[in-house]
Amino acid sequence: MSNLSRRKLIATGLAAAAGASGLAVAARLADRYGLLPPDHGGIYGIGETLTYATQRLLTRHALAREFPRSLISKTPFVNGKPPQSKSFKLLEAGGFADWQLDIDGMVAQPASFSIDELRSFPSRSQITHLACEEGWSFIAEWTGVPLSHLLNKVRTLPEARYVVYFSIQGNWWDSVDMADALHPQTPVTYGMNGGTLPVGHGGPIRLRVPRQLGYKSVKYVTRLTITDNLKEFGKGLGSSAPEEGYSWYAGI
Amino acid sequence: MADSVWVAGLADADPATMAAPRHTAVVRVTHWITTLCFFALLVSGIEILISHPRFYWGETGNVLTPALFDLPIPASRSTVPTGYDFVLSDQNGWSRYLHFEAAWLVVLTGILYVVSGLSTRHFRKNLLPAAADLSWRSLSTAIANHLRFKRPDEAEAWSYNALQRLTYLVVIFVMFPLVIWTGLAMSPAIAAVIPAAVTVFGGQQSARTIHFLISMFLVLFLLIHIGMVWLAGFRNRLRPMITGRTDAERRRA
C-alpha cells in the first residue's frame, strides 16, 4: 500500500508540475501573440485571459452589428455629468473651436488636430449599439473619422501594440489593442444621429469602440498615445477601469 | 490510505457495489465544482443585476424606455428610479470579474461532465427515463408521491425516478446551455462574430431578460433539489455524492 501511495504521490507531483509549467508556457505564448490582457494578474486573471484570448482569436476582424435607421433609439440615455472644469466650460463656450486632439507616442509624425480638421478627413457613419455594463443600452448613428485613418496619417510605427486615449476628465483614460484600434468601426466620433455629438454623449470627441461595453467608449478625448507597453501608464493595468475594479477588456 | 482499507472491507461484503459506486468520481467532482461556480455566479449575478433591476424586450432599453418588468428592489446606481431614497454600494467590478471566471470554470466543467457522461453512457443508464416510466399513469403516480412528500424507499436511493430524470435532463441539456448562450449573447464581441446568437432571442435586451429568467428557474431548481435531498434523508443522499457510496454500503462494511 505504501508503494501505491508513493506512486500516487509521484504521479500527483508530476501532474502538478506539468500543470504549472503548462500554465507558464501558455502565458508566455499568450503574451507573444498579444493574447494576454494587461490586467492578467491576480485571482481573476485566468478568467480574464481566457476571455480576451478566446475573443481575440475569434473576433479579430468581426464587424459589430449595424442596425437599420428605424432601430435608432428615440431616447438615448445620457450617463454621467459633463466635465465641470473651467477649461472645459471655456472650450464649450467657444463652440469647441479650440479643442485639440493630440496624437503622440510611437509615431513618426506627432500631430494635433482641431475638430474642423477631423471633419475634413474621410468620415464613416455607423448605426451601432452602446451597451453599458450596468445592463441598459441604446442604438445611435455615430459619425467620425476612423481611428485607423489618423494612425496612418501620423505614421504609426510597426512596433505599436496599443492606443491609449485620455479624456479631459482627468481620471478617465483607457486603451485598446491594435485589433480594435485599426478596426473600421472604431471612429474618433464627432457626430451623432445626424447632428454634432452632444456634450452629454461625449461631445465634441468620443472614441467609439462598439465591440466592447460602453465604458471603453471614452468621452471628451483630448489625447491619443501610441505605445508598445501599457506598464508606463497609471498603475500599468491598461486603463483607469481596472484601477477601479473593472476589467480592461470589455468585449465580455 | 484509510480510504483504501475501507474499500477493501467493502469488497468482502459486496464486490458488485464496490465496482460501481452510486456516483462516479467524475459526477461527484463536477457536481461540487458546479455547486461552487453556481454560488459564485448567483452572488455576482445579483450584484450586477442590482445596478439596473429593470428588464426590457428587443435590442435596446434604458430608464427612458418602458420596462418589460422591473424588480421592486433598490439599485446600486442613482440613475435608476426605484422608489427607494437610497442607493446601494456599487460592487460591479469584482462581481463581473468573478462572474466570468466562474462562468469559464463551470463551462469547462460542464464539457468534461458531458463528454464523460456520453462516453460512460451515464446519461443513457442513469438519466434517460425508461419508456414505461413515461406513461401518463406512472408519471402522475410519481407526481402524486412527490406532492404527498412521500419518502422514497431504499431502492430509490440507487436510481432516479422518471420525474428526477426528466428534471435533471432539462437542467443539464436545456437550462444550462440556454443560460450560457444568453450570457454570451450579451457580449458585443460575440454578437459581432455570431449575430444570430442574439437575433434569435429578439435582441440583446431580450437575451438579458431570458438570462435572468433562466437564472431564477435554476435557483428554483436548486431550492427544490435541496428540499428533496432533505426529504429523502440528507446524510443518506449527501454521502454518496461525496464519497460515492450510500449509507447502506457503509453499514454493510
Side-chain angles (χ1 to χ4, degrees):
Chain A
M1 201 176 316
S2 71
N3 260 341
L4 189 75
S5 70
R6 191 174 303 138
R7 202 184 303 155
K8 243 184 187 170
L9 199 73
I10 292 170
T12 314
L14 281 177
S21 51
L23 217 62
V25 169
R28 179 91 44 101
L29 274 177
D31 192 33
R32 170 177 299 180
Y33 292 102
L35 300 175
L36 204 59
D39 55 345
H40 64 267
I43 47 165
Y44 299 129
I46 297 175
E48 216 32 47
T49 305
L50 279 172
T51 302
Y52 178 59
T54 309
Q55 295 199 4
R56 262 301 154 265
L57 293 174
L58 285 175
T59 72
R60 188 169 294 272
H61 300 293
L63 289 173
R65 290 188 303 152
E66 298 199 13
F67 300 89
R69 206 160 284 278
S70 59
L71 276 181
I72 291 176
S73 303
K74 285 168 192 70
T75 51
F77 178 69
V78 171
N79 195 30
K81 288 195 180 75
Q84 301 298 308
S85 67
K86 213 170 175 180
S87 54
F88 183 83
K89 295 212 158 140
L90 218 66
L91 286 161
E92 188 180 11
F96 297 118
D98 294 328
W99 191 277
Q100 291 288 321
L101 177 69
D102 302 328
I103 309 182
D104 55 30
M106 300 183 77
V107 298
Q109 279 180 323
S112 183
F113 301 111
S114 69
I115 308 287
D116 279 345
E117 281 174 292
L118 292 174
R119 282 179 179 278
S120 72
F121 299 140
S123 77
R124 186 185 193 281
S125 287
Q126 64 190 34
I127 300 171
T128 50
H129 205 245
L130 187 142
C132 178
E133 55 87 20
E134 294 167 16
W136 54 269
S137 61
F138 64 83
I139 290 172
E141 182 178 37
W142 311 88
T143 305
V145 46
L147 177 59
S148 61
H149 181 83
L150 299 182
L151 295 181
N152 284 333
K153 208 162 183 64
V154 297
R155 295 204 279 133
T156 298
L157 304 181
E159 302 84 62
R161 290 185 65 185
Y162 303 96
V163 174
V164 189
Y165 41 108
F166 299 88
S167 169
I168 203 169
Q169 279 181 321
N171 53 1
W172 196 9
W173 62 280
D174 216 311
S175 64
V176 285
D177 60 15
M178 294 316 277
D180 266 325
L182 297 174
H183 193 269
Q185 287 166 311
T186 303
V188 171
T189 307
Y190 48 71
M192 180 180 170
N193 293 338
T196 55
L197 182 65
V199 167
H201 289 289
I205 293 294
R206 180 175 201 174
L207 190 78
R208 277 284 291 133
V209 189
R211 299 192 307 170
Q212 297 199 40
L213 291 175
Y215 67 81
K216 292 296 276 192
S217 292
V218 169
K219 298 170 171 177
Y220 323 113
V221 175
T222 54
R223 184 180 156 216
L224 309 173
T225 299
I226 289 92
T227 185
D228 65 347
N229 184 7
L230 290 173
K231 291 216 163 56
E232 297 159 7
F233 301 88
K235 292 182 184 166
L237 299 173
S239 82
S240 54
E243 295 178 10
E244 288 163 29
Y246 287 82
S247 62
W248 171 77
Y249 180 68
I252 46 171
Chain B
M1 243 185 294
D3 200 45
S4 351
V5 174
W6 206 343
V7 172
L10 184 72
D12 296 334
D14 189 353
T17 45
M18 192 206 75
R22 172 68 187 97
H23 299 298
T24 64
V26 171
V27 166
R28 282 177 280 147
V29 169
T30 54
H31 176 269
W32 292 113
I33 295 178
T34 304
T35 309
L36 185 76
C37 292
F38 190 88
F39 281 108
L41 286 160
L42 182 63
V43 170
S44 57
I46 290 171
E47 287 294 351
I48 297 166
L49 161 75
I50 60 172
S51 67
H52 199 87
R54 288 163 59 89
F55 291 92
Y56 312 93
W57 199 254
E59 284 291 358
T60 58
N62 57 62
V63 292
L64 304 175
T65 61
L68 182 69
F69 61 93
D70 54 11
L71 306 179
I73 57 169
S76 63
R77 294 293 196 282
S78 57
T79 46
V80 187
T82 57
Y84 294 87
D85 57 3
F86 59 92
V87 174
L88 299 169
S89 79
D90 169 22
Q91 304 293 330
N92 274 19
W94 65 263
S95 297
R96 298 183 66 83
Y97 273 122
L98 178 59
H99 204 74
F100 304 134
E101 181 139 290
W104 268 110
L105 184 55
V106 82
V107 165
L108 295 175
T109 304
I111 291 171
L112 174 70
Y113 170 75
V114 169
V115 168
S116 138
L118 288 174
S119 63
T120 61
R121 299 167 65 84
H122 166 60
F123 301 124
R124 183 166 293 222
K125 273 187 306 201
N126 302 319
L127 292 183
L128 212 63
D133 290 338
L134 284 177
S135 73
W136 177 239
R137 204 190 152 88
S138 72
L139 272 183
S140 55
T141 313
I143 292 170
N145 283 344
H146 275 76
L147 289 177
R148 272 187 254 119
F149 291 100
K150 186 172 172 282
R151 269 183 83 106
D153 54 38
E154 183 94 349
E156 275 196 71
W158 277 95
S159 168
Y160 294 132
N161 64 50
L163 270 190
Q164 278 176 297
R165 287 169 186 249
L166 288 176
T167 310
Y168 288 139
L169 284 177
V170 165
V171 166
I172 294 163
F173 289 107
V174 180
M175 292 304 172
F176 270 114
L178 261 182
V179 87
I180 294 163
W181 182 357
T182 49
L184 286 171
M186 280 187 269
S187 151
I190 296 292
V193 195
I194 318 166
V198 192
T199 49
V200 73
F201 296 114
Q204 192 249 17
Q205 289 293 341
S206 307
R208 176 174 179 263
T209 301
I210 297 168
H211 191 73
F212 168 74
L213 293 175
I214 297 173
S215 307
M216 289 302 99
F217 174 91
L218 287 173
V219 170
L220 186 70
F221 163 76
L222 175 72
L223 293 177
I224 294 175
H225 181 59
I226 295 172
M228 287 297 179
V229 168
W230 191 267
L231 199 73
F234 199 70
R235 288 167 59 95
N236 202 9
R237 286 293 189 277
L238 195 60
R239 189 187 312 279
M241 193 47 97
I242 297 170
T243 66
R245 293 189 309 276
T246 62
D247 245 8
E249 286 172 284
R250 196 171 145 259
R251 280 197 296 274
R252 246 177 279 148

